mmCIF file of all heavy atoms in Angstrom:
data_model
loop_
_atom_site.group_PDB
_atom_site.id
_atom_site.type_symbol
_atom_site.label_atom_id
_atom_site.label_comp_id
_atom_site.label_asym_id
_atom_site.label_seq_id
_atom_site.Cartn_x
_atom_site.Cartn_y
_atom_site.Cartn_z
ATOM 1 N N THR J 139 -75.746 35.771 28.668
ATOM 2 C CA THR J 139 -76.154 34.673 29.559
ATOM 3 C C THR J 139 -75.502 34.772 30.932
ATOM 4 O O THR J 139 -75.860 34.027 31.833
ATOM 5 C CB THR J 139 -75.709 33.326 28.902
ATOM 6 O OG1 THR J 139 -74.302 33.352 28.633
ATOM 7 C CG2 THR J 139 -76.503 33.093 27.630
ATOM 8 N N HIS J 140 -74.569 35.727 31.096
ATOM 9 C CA HIS J 140 -73.918 35.929 32.419
ATOM 10 C C HIS J 140 -73.898 37.413 32.724
ATOM 11 O O HIS J 140 -72.846 38.063 32.673
ATOM 12 C CB HIS J 140 -72.500 35.396 32.380
ATOM 13 C CG HIS J 140 -72.393 33.900 32.132
ATOM 14 N ND1 HIS J 140 -72.616 33.349 30.886
ATOM 15 C CD2 HIS J 140 -72.130 32.861 32.968
ATOM 16 C CE1 HIS J 140 -72.479 32.030 30.974
ATOM 17 N NE2 HIS J 140 -72.181 31.730 32.211
ATOM 18 N N PRO J 141 -75.037 37.981 33.082
ATOM 19 C CA PRO J 141 -75.131 39.440 33.297
ATOM 20 C C PRO J 141 -74.305 39.918 34.468
ATOM 21 O O PRO J 141 -74.055 41.127 34.549
ATOM 22 C CB PRO J 141 -76.638 39.626 33.568
ATOM 23 C CG PRO J 141 -77.156 38.309 34.017
ATOM 24 C CD PRO J 141 -76.361 37.283 33.257
ATOM 25 N N GLY J 142 -73.807 39.063 35.301
ATOM 26 C CA GLY J 142 -72.993 39.505 36.411
ATOM 27 C C GLY J 142 -71.518 39.635 36.075
ATOM 28 O O GLY J 142 -70.710 40.098 36.920
ATOM 29 N N ALA J 143 -71.121 39.233 34.841
ATOM 30 C CA ALA J 143 -69.701 39.267 34.478
ATOM 31 C C ALA J 143 -69.297 40.659 34.016
ATOM 32 O O ALA J 143 -70.053 41.339 33.318
ATOM 33 C CB ALA J 143 -69.448 38.241 33.364
ATOM 34 N N THR J 144 -68.080 41.053 34.370
ATOM 35 C CA THR J 144 -67.521 42.327 33.935
ATOM 36 C C THR J 144 -66.307 42.025 33.112
ATOM 37 O O THR J 144 -65.321 41.465 33.627
ATOM 38 C CB THR J 144 -67.125 43.204 35.135
ATOM 39 O OG1 THR J 144 -68.269 43.363 35.999
ATOM 40 C CG2 THR J 144 -66.621 44.547 34.648
ATOM 41 N N MET J 145 -66.319 42.392 31.838
ATOM 42 C CA MET J 145 -65.201 42.049 30.909
ATOM 43 C C MET J 145 -64.713 43.310 30.223
ATOM 44 O O MET J 145 -65.488 44.207 29.899
ATOM 45 C CB MET J 145 -65.632 41.020 29.907
ATOM 46 C CG MET J 145 -65.865 39.623 30.455
ATOM 47 S SD MET J 145 -66.502 38.514 29.205
ATOM 48 C CE MET J 145 -68.154 39.185 28.984
ATOM 49 N N THR J 146 -63.437 43.312 29.978
ATOM 50 C CA THR J 146 -62.785 44.350 29.169
ATOM 51 C C THR J 146 -62.086 43.674 28.019
ATOM 52 O O THR J 146 -61.293 42.759 28.193
ATOM 53 C CB THR J 146 -61.754 45.141 30.027
ATOM 54 O OG1 THR J 146 -62.412 45.718 31.150
ATOM 55 C CG2 THR J 146 -61.132 46.247 29.179
ATOM 56 N N ILE J 147 -62.362 44.147 26.790
ATOM 57 C CA ILE J 147 -61.680 43.575 25.594
ATOM 58 C C ILE J 147 -60.408 44.336 25.371
ATOM 59 O O ILE J 147 -60.371 45.574 25.291
ATOM 60 C CB ILE J 147 -62.596 43.710 24.368
ATOM 61 C CG1 ILE J 147 -63.889 42.948 24.592
ATOM 62 C CG2 ILE J 147 -61.886 43.128 23.133
ATOM 63 C CD1 ILE J 147 -64.906 43.128 23.459
ATOM 64 N N LYS J 148 -59.274 43.593 25.289
ATOM 65 C CA LYS J 148 -57.989 44.198 25.077
ATOM 66 C C LYS J 148 -57.385 43.647 23.793
ATOM 67 O O LYS J 148 -57.492 42.473 23.481
ATOM 68 C CB LYS J 148 -57.049 43.879 26.224
ATOM 69 C CG LYS J 148 -57.455 44.475 27.580
ATOM 70 C CD LYS J 148 -56.515 44.086 28.672
ATOM 71 C CE LYS J 148 -55.090 44.566 28.340
ATOM 72 N NZ LYS J 148 -54.124 44.146 29.421
ATOM 73 N N VAL J 149 -56.742 44.536 23.008
ATOM 74 C CA VAL J 149 -56.056 44.107 21.812
ATOM 75 C C VAL J 149 -54.565 43.992 22.137
ATOM 76 O O VAL J 149 -53.992 44.938 22.706
ATOM 77 C CB VAL J 149 -56.255 45.119 20.639
ATOM 78 C CG1 VAL J 149 -55.495 44.693 19.422
ATOM 79 C CG2 VAL J 149 -57.730 45.262 20.339
ATOM 80 N N ALA J 150 -53.970 42.867 21.833
ATOM 81 C CA ALA J 150 -52.594 42.600 22.264
ATOM 82 C C ALA J 150 -51.560 42.969 21.247
ATOM 83 O O ALA J 150 -50.463 42.441 21.203
ATOM 84 C CB ALA J 150 -52.434 41.111 22.615
ATOM 85 N N GLU J 151 -51.847 43.931 20.361
ATOM 86 C CA GLU J 151 -50.834 44.426 19.437
ATOM 87 C C GLU J 151 -49.712 45.060 20.226
ATOM 88 O O GLU J 151 -49.934 45.848 21.150
ATOM 89 C CB GLU J 151 -51.425 45.515 18.505
ATOM 90 C CG GLU J 151 -52.157 44.903 17.329
ATOM 91 C CD GLU J 151 -52.595 46.016 16.361
ATOM 92 O OE1 GLU J 151 -52.483 47.189 16.707
ATOM 93 O OE2 GLU J 151 -53.015 45.656 15.254
ATOM 94 N N GLY J 152 -48.501 44.683 19.876
ATOM 95 C CA GLY J 152 -47.356 45.302 20.528
ATOM 96 C C GLY J 152 -46.837 44.557 21.750
ATOM 97 O O GLY J 152 -45.859 45.002 22.344
ATOM 98 N N GLU J 153 -47.466 43.438 22.100
ATOM 99 C CA GLU J 153 -46.943 42.671 23.228
ATOM 100 C C GLU J 153 -47.202 41.193 23.004
ATOM 101 O O GLU J 153 -48.202 40.792 22.448
ATOM 102 C CB GLU J 153 -47.582 43.112 24.550
ATOM 103 C CG GLU J 153 -49.082 42.981 24.577
ATOM 104 C CD GLU J 153 -49.669 43.430 25.938
ATOM 105 O OE1 GLU J 153 -48.912 43.413 26.919
ATOM 106 O OE2 GLU J 153 -50.852 43.742 25.954
ATOM 107 N N HIS J 154 -46.242 40.373 23.422
ATOM 108 C CA HIS J 154 -46.376 38.956 23.273
ATOM 109 C C HIS J 154 -47.453 38.429 24.261
ATOM 110 O O HIS J 154 -47.513 38.904 25.392
ATOM 111 C CB HIS J 154 -45.027 38.283 23.591
ATOM 112 C CG HIS J 154 -44.985 36.838 23.216
ATOM 113 N ND1 HIS J 154 -45.654 35.881 23.954
ATOM 114 C CD2 HIS J 154 -44.391 36.190 22.197
ATOM 115 C CE1 HIS J 154 -45.449 34.706 23.397
ATOM 116 N NE2 HIS J 154 -44.652 34.870 22.328
ATOM 117 N N PRO J 155 -48.303 37.495 23.847
ATOM 118 C CA PRO J 155 -49.339 36.978 24.751
ATOM 119 C C PRO J 155 -48.813 36.470 26.082
ATOM 120 O O PRO J 155 -49.461 36.606 27.092
ATOM 121 C CB PRO J 155 -49.973 35.874 23.939
ATOM 122 C CG PRO J 155 -49.774 36.248 22.542
ATOM 123 C CD PRO J 155 -48.437 36.936 22.479
ATOM 124 N N VAL J 156 -47.587 35.914 26.075
ATOM 125 C CA VAL J 156 -47.034 35.409 27.332
ATOM 126 C C VAL J 156 -46.845 36.572 28.353
ATOM 127 O O VAL J 156 -46.902 36.360 29.541
ATOM 128 C CB VAL J 156 -45.670 34.713 27.071
ATOM 129 C CG1 VAL J 156 -45.009 34.334 28.398
ATOM 130 C CG2 VAL J 156 -45.916 33.450 26.260
ATOM 131 N N GLN J 157 -46.692 37.763 27.851
ATOM 132 C CA GLN J 157 -46.464 38.931 28.711
ATOM 133 C C GLN J 157 -47.723 39.272 29.476
ATOM 134 O O GLN J 157 -47.643 40.107 30.417
ATOM 135 C CB GLN J 157 -45.972 40.129 27.911
ATOM 136 C CG GLN J 157 -44.579 39.919 27.308
ATOM 137 C CD GLN J 157 -44.164 41.066 26.420
ATOM 138 O OE1 GLN J 157 -44.995 41.822 25.956
ATOM 139 N NE2 GLN J 157 -42.874 41.172 26.162
ATOM 140 N N VAL J 158 -48.871 38.772 29.111
ATOM 141 C CA VAL J 158 -50.107 39.090 29.817
ATOM 142 C C VAL J 158 -50.424 38.042 30.890
ATOM 143 O O VAL J 158 -51.518 38.023 31.440
ATOM 144 C CB VAL J 158 -51.289 39.255 28.841
ATOM 145 C CG1 VAL J 158 -51.022 40.291 27.820
ATOM 146 C CG2 VAL J 158 -51.657 37.918 28.176
ATOM 147 N N GLN J 159 -49.475 37.156 31.190
ATOM 148 C CA GLN J 159 -49.733 36.137 32.218
ATOM 149 C C GLN J 159 -50.159 36.778 33.560
ATOM 150 O O GLN J 159 -50.959 36.230 34.276
ATOM 151 C CB GLN J 159 -48.466 35.311 32.455
ATOM 152 C CG GLN J 159 -48.202 34.290 31.332
ATOM 153 C CD GLN J 159 -47.172 33.265 31.755
ATOM 154 O OE1 GLN J 159 -47.220 32.764 32.871
ATOM 155 N NE2 GLN J 159 -46.231 32.984 30.891
ATOM 156 N N GLU J 160 -49.547 37.902 33.866
ATOM 157 C CA GLU J 160 -49.835 38.537 35.163
ATOM 158 C C GLU J 160 -51.060 39.429 35.119
ATOM 159 O O GLU J 160 -51.429 40.020 36.119
ATOM 160 C CB GLU J 160 -48.629 39.327 35.596
ATOM 161 C CG GLU J 160 -47.391 38.440 35.827
ATOM 162 C CD GLU J 160 -46.203 39.241 36.262
ATOM 163 O OE1 GLU J 160 -46.288 40.468 36.384
ATOM 164 O OE2 GLU J 160 -45.136 38.635 36.481
ATOM 165 N N GLU J 161 -51.690 39.541 33.912
ATOM 166 C CA GLU J 161 -52.900 40.335 33.806
ATOM 167 C C GLU J 161 -54.080 39.613 34.477
ATOM 168 O O GLU J 161 -54.073 38.382 34.599
ATOM 169 C CB GLU J 161 -53.203 40.625 32.306
ATOM 170 C CG GLU J 161 -52.148 41.444 31.609
ATOM 171 C CD GLU J 161 -52.232 42.901 31.941
ATOM 172 O OE1 GLU J 161 -53.265 43.282 32.533
ATOM 173 O OE2 GLU J 161 -51.285 43.629 31.597
ATOM 174 N N ASN J 162 -55.069 40.392 34.813
ATOM 175 C CA ASN J 162 -56.274 39.792 35.409
ATOM 176 C C ASN J 162 -57.220 39.412 34.281
ATOM 177 O O ASN J 162 -58.204 40.096 34.009
ATOM 178 C CB ASN J 162 -56.924 40.817 36.351
ATOM 179 C CG ASN J 162 -58.167 40.227 37.023
ATOM 180 O OD1 ASN J 162 -58.242 39.017 37.275
ATOM 181 N ND2 ASN J 162 -59.160 41.051 37.290
ATOM 182 N N GLY J 163 -56.921 38.294 33.597
ATOM 183 C CA GLY J 163 -57.805 37.964 32.506
ATOM 184 C C GLY J 163 -57.387 36.709 31.755
ATOM 185 O O GLY J 163 -56.497 35.978 32.138
ATOM 186 N N VAL J 164 -58.095 36.459 30.653
ATOM 187 C CA VAL J 164 -57.808 35.327 29.778
ATOM 188 C C VAL J 164 -57.202 35.887 28.480
ATOM 189 O O VAL J 164 -57.344 37.047 28.157
ATOM 190 C CB VAL J 164 -59.115 34.537 29.442
ATOM 191 C CG1 VAL J 164 -59.721 34.016 30.743
ATOM 192 C CG2 VAL J 164 -60.078 35.377 28.672
ATOM 193 N N VAL J 165 -56.539 35.010 27.760
ATOM 194 C CA VAL J 165 -55.908 35.433 26.522
ATOM 195 C C VAL J 165 -56.107 34.336 25.452
ATOM 196 O O VAL J 165 -56.105 33.140 25.769
ATOM 197 C CB VAL J 165 -54.390 35.712 26.701
ATOM 198 C CG1 VAL J 165 -53.668 34.521 27.188
ATOM 199 C CG2 VAL J 165 -53.744 36.249 25.407
ATOM 200 N N LEU J 166 -56.341 34.760 24.189
ATOM 201 C CA LEU J 166 -56.461 33.821 23.086
ATOM 202 C C LEU J 166 -55.085 33.683 22.428
ATOM 203 O O LEU J 166 -54.447 34.677 22.070
ATOM 204 C CB LEU J 166 -57.484 34.351 22.066
ATOM 205 C CG LEU J 166 -58.883 34.643 22.610
ATOM 206 C CD1 LEU J 166 -59.807 35.084 21.500
ATOM 207 C CD2 LEU J 166 -59.464 33.447 23.338
ATOM 208 N N VAL J 167 -54.681 32.436 22.262
ATOM 209 C CA VAL J 167 -53.350 32.162 21.649
ATOM 210 C C VAL J 167 -53.458 30.924 20.744
ATOM 211 O O VAL J 167 -54.442 30.172 20.805
ATOM 212 C CB VAL J 167 -52.287 31.876 22.752
ATOM 213 C CG1 VAL J 167 -52.147 33.062 23.713
ATOM 214 C CG2 VAL J 167 -52.615 30.597 23.515
ATOM 215 N N LEU J 168 -52.420 30.724 19.919
ATOM 216 C CA LEU J 168 -52.334 29.484 19.181
ATOM 217 C C LEU J 168 -51.733 28.419 20.103
ATOM 218 O O LEU J 168 -51.032 28.733 21.060
ATOM 219 C CB LEU J 168 -51.461 29.665 17.931
ATOM 220 C CG LEU J 168 -51.999 30.624 16.906
ATOM 221 C CD1 LEU J 168 -51.033 30.733 15.719
ATOM 222 C CD2 LEU J 168 -53.356 30.176 16.368
ATOM 223 N N ASP J 169 -52.035 27.158 19.816
ATOM 224 C CA ASP J 169 -51.629 26.099 20.744
ATOM 225 C C ASP J 169 -50.115 26.064 20.984
ATOM 226 O O ASP J 169 -49.708 25.655 22.054
ATOM 227 C CB ASP J 169 -52.127 24.726 20.274
ATOM 228 C CG ASP J 169 -51.761 24.401 18.801
ATOM 229 O OD1 ASP J 169 -50.961 25.181 18.229
ATOM 230 O OD2 ASP J 169 -52.222 23.381 18.334
ATOM 231 N N LYS J 170 -49.319 26.497 19.996
ATOM 232 C CA LYS J 170 -47.833 26.486 20.219
ATOM 233 C C LYS J 170 -47.450 27.489 21.297
ATOM 234 O O LYS J 170 -46.425 27.327 21.919
ATOM 235 C CB LYS J 170 -47.158 26.847 18.902
ATOM 236 C CG LYS J 170 -47.400 25.774 17.833
ATOM 237 C CD LYS J 170 -46.751 26.169 16.510
ATOM 238 C CE LYS J 170 -47.084 25.149 15.406
ATOM 239 N NZ LYS J 170 -46.541 25.539 14.116
ATOM 240 N N ASP J 171 -48.274 28.532 21.456
ATOM 241 C CA ASP J 171 -48.004 29.511 22.527
ATOM 242 C C ASP J 171 -48.505 28.991 23.890
ATOM 243 O O ASP J 171 -47.952 29.305 24.964
ATOM 244 C CB ASP J 171 -48.667 30.860 22.235
ATOM 245 C CG ASP J 171 -47.740 31.775 21.487
ATOM 246 O OD1 ASP J 171 -46.513 31.653 21.675
ATOM 247 O OD2 ASP J 171 -48.246 32.595 20.720
ATOM 248 N N ALA J 172 -49.612 28.251 23.877
ATOM 249 C CA ALA J 172 -50.241 27.796 25.133
ATOM 250 C C ALA J 172 -49.294 27.040 26.003
ATOM 251 O O ALA J 172 -49.319 27.142 27.225
ATOM 252 C CB ALA J 172 -51.500 27.004 24.805
ATOM 253 N N SER J 173 -48.419 26.244 25.399
ATOM 254 C CA SER J 173 -47.505 25.404 26.179
ATOM 255 C C SER J 173 -46.439 26.225 26.921
ATOM 256 O O SER J 173 -45.763 25.744 27.834
ATOM 257 C CB SER J 173 -46.798 24.407 25.266
ATOM 258 O OG SER J 173 -46.010 25.092 24.273
ATOM 259 N N ARG J 174 -46.340 27.520 26.592
ATOM 260 C CA ARG J 174 -45.311 28.388 27.236
ATOM 261 C C ARG J 174 -45.815 28.994 28.554
ATOM 262 O O ARG J 174 -45.051 29.588 29.292
ATOM 263 C CB ARG J 174 -44.932 29.498 26.270
ATOM 264 C CG ARG J 174 -44.237 29.018 24.999
ATOM 265 C CD ARG J 174 -44.160 30.117 23.966
ATOM 266 N NE ARG J 174 -43.434 31.257 24.439
ATOM 267 C CZ ARG J 174 -42.137 31.440 24.312
ATOM 268 N NH1 ARG J 174 -41.405 30.507 23.739
ATOM 269 N NH2 ARG J 174 -41.540 32.522 24.742
ATOM 270 N N TYR J 175 -47.099 28.772 28.866
ATOM 271 C CA TYR J 175 -47.644 29.391 30.068
ATOM 272 C C TYR J 175 -47.419 28.439 31.265
ATOM 273 O O TYR J 175 -47.525 27.210 31.135
ATOM 274 C CB TYR J 175 -49.164 29.598 29.914
ATOM 275 C CG TYR J 175 -49.494 30.806 29.050
ATOM 276 C CD1 TYR J 175 -49.405 30.731 27.672
ATOM 277 C CD2 TYR J 175 -49.935 31.982 29.631
ATOM 278 C CE1 TYR J 175 -49.685 31.802 26.869
ATOM 279 C CE2 TYR J 175 -50.205 33.071 28.824
ATOM 280 C CZ TYR J 175 -50.129 33.010 27.483
ATOM 281 O OH TYR J 175 -50.417 34.072 26.704
ATOM 282 N N HIS J 176 -47.116 29.031 32.432
ATOM 283 C CA HIS J 176 -46.956 28.273 33.661
ATOM 284 C C HIS J 176 -48.120 28.599 34.586
ATOM 285 O O HIS J 176 -48.492 29.783 34.754
ATOM 286 C CB HIS J 176 -45.629 28.576 34.300
ATOM 287 C CG HIS J 176 -44.440 28.291 33.429
ATOM 288 N ND1 HIS J 176 -44.048 27.000 33.103
ATOM 289 C CD2 HIS J 176 -43.577 29.128 32.807
ATOM 290 C CE1 HIS J 176 -42.977 27.041 32.309
ATOM 291 N NE2 HIS J 176 -42.650 28.322 32.107
ATOM 292 N N ASN J 177 -48.641 27.613 35.258
ATOM 293 C CA ASN J 177 -49.754 27.784 36.188
ATOM 294 C C ASN J 177 -51.002 28.316 35.466
ATOM 295 O O ASN J 177 -51.794 29.070 36.053
ATOM 296 C CB ASN J 177 -49.378 28.726 37.334
ATOM 297 C CG ASN J 177 -48.198 28.197 38.144
ATOM 298 O OD1 ASN J 177 -48.130 26.986 38.429
ATOM 299 N ND2 ASN J 177 -47.268 29.070 38.483
#
Side-chain angles (χ1 to χ4, degrees):
T139 56
H140 297 74
T144 304
M145 289 175 291
T146 301
I147 301 175
K148 296 178 59 180
V149 180
E151 278 186 350
E153 60 180 337
H154 191 286
V156 173
Q157 294 174 341
V158 302
Q159 284 194 45
E160 297 180 358
E161 296 282 348
N162 181 32
V164 301
V165 60
L166 304 183
V167 301
L168 295 179
D169 53 7
K170 296 175 184 178
D171 268 332
S173 62
R174 295 167 60 89
Y175 285 77
H176 302 290
N177 300 318

